[in-house]
Amino acid sequence: QGFVNNRPTISATLQNGRTVVEFDGLDDQLTNPTNFLQIPSCTIFAAFRRAGTSYVGIISSSGLADRSPGLLIDSGVGALRGYQNFSAAGAAVVDSFCVASGQVDLGSTTLWINGTQRDSDAAVNSLDTSQTTTAIGTYRQAAANFFSGVIGEIIAYNRVLTAAERQSVERYLGRKFGVTVA
């Protein structure tokens, strides 16, 4: 809702005839004054294409700790963070437009890329309740890990979806943005 530093722009390039938002990787981000990701269980979806290879956030809590849910890219691979644990996918899959989905369930994390499960990890810590905002286009606002690429849509639920619900949202995003989802 609020803007910090520079705003991302509406991209001149469409994805499957749909408008996408372009982040420059330098300082573009959107923030929400409440941390709606600061919950013990959630499901997060993003339809995006990265342009850089850096460690960046798509959507995350914007504090300094790694113990709150977030969907990001770590050294070129799709990743989901939660409770200071990490699920990560294969590198090549995030170089084209894709649909990433992740679930944090009382500490465990599971990550899917284009409908295929890529990783699942168990909890190693407790939820950090000190983070106060949610950011789009960066991972840990103060660390300046800004996303470079385009984001078509982000959907977040404050609970773990059933497999059928998750697959329905993945198929919706796949159809909308022209991505083949398993």
Side-chain angles (χ1 to χ4, degrees):
Q1 295 216 10
F3 295 103
V4 177
N5 297 327
N6 292 329
R7 298 178 185 191
T9 59
I10 301 298
S11 178
T13 305
L14 301 177
Q15 175 64 33
N16 201 37
R18 304 286 181 168
T19 301
V20 292
V21 179
E22 189 165 359
F23 292 78
D24 66 9
L26 302 174
D27 57 7
D28 290 353
Q29 63 180 302
L30 302 171
T31 60
N32 186 311
T34 59
N35 187 0
F36 62 84
L37 292 176
Q38 192 176 8
I39 52 179
S41 298
C42 65
T43 307
I44 306 168
F45 300 88
F48 68 95
R49 181 183 66 247
R50 72 180 183 133
T53 58
S54 303
Y55 181 53
V56 297
I58 297 167
I59 181 170
S60 64
S61 297
S62 59
L64 295 175
D66 285 337
R67 297 186 341 243
S68 189
L71 192 57
L72 50 132
I73 300 171
D74 178 21
S75 303
V77 301
L80 177 74
R81 185 191 70 212
Y83 293 74
Q84 204 164 349
N85 57 326
F86 212 63
S87 290
V93 76
V94 294
D95 289 329
S96 58
F97 209 90
C98 68
V99 173
S101 55
Q103 291 182 328
V104 176
D105 186 14
L106 299 175
S108 67
T109 61
T110 306
L111 177 71
W112 295 264
I113 301 291
N114 297 335
T116 300
Q117 183 176 327
R118 297 296 182 169
D119 197 12
S120 186
D121 291 303
V124 297
N125 216 320
S126 60
L127 183 67
D128 180 2
T129 58
S130 68
Q131 299 180 53
T132 58
T133 61
T134 299
I136 296 173
T138 187
Y139 166 66
R140 292 197 298 176
Q141 212 170 10
N145 299 106
F146 296 105
F147 178 74
S148 176
V150 297
I151 297 175
E153 189 165 344
I154 295 173
I155 302 171
Y157 290 87
N158 64 352
R159 65 182 176 86
V160 171
L161 300 184
T162 66
E165 290 171 325
R166 178 186 48 76
Q167 291 165 346
S168 177
V169 175
E170 289 167 338
R171 285 190 300 269
Y172 156 76
L173 289 171
R175 281 190 307 273
K176 185 173 183 178
F177 292 102
V179 176
T180 301
V181 174

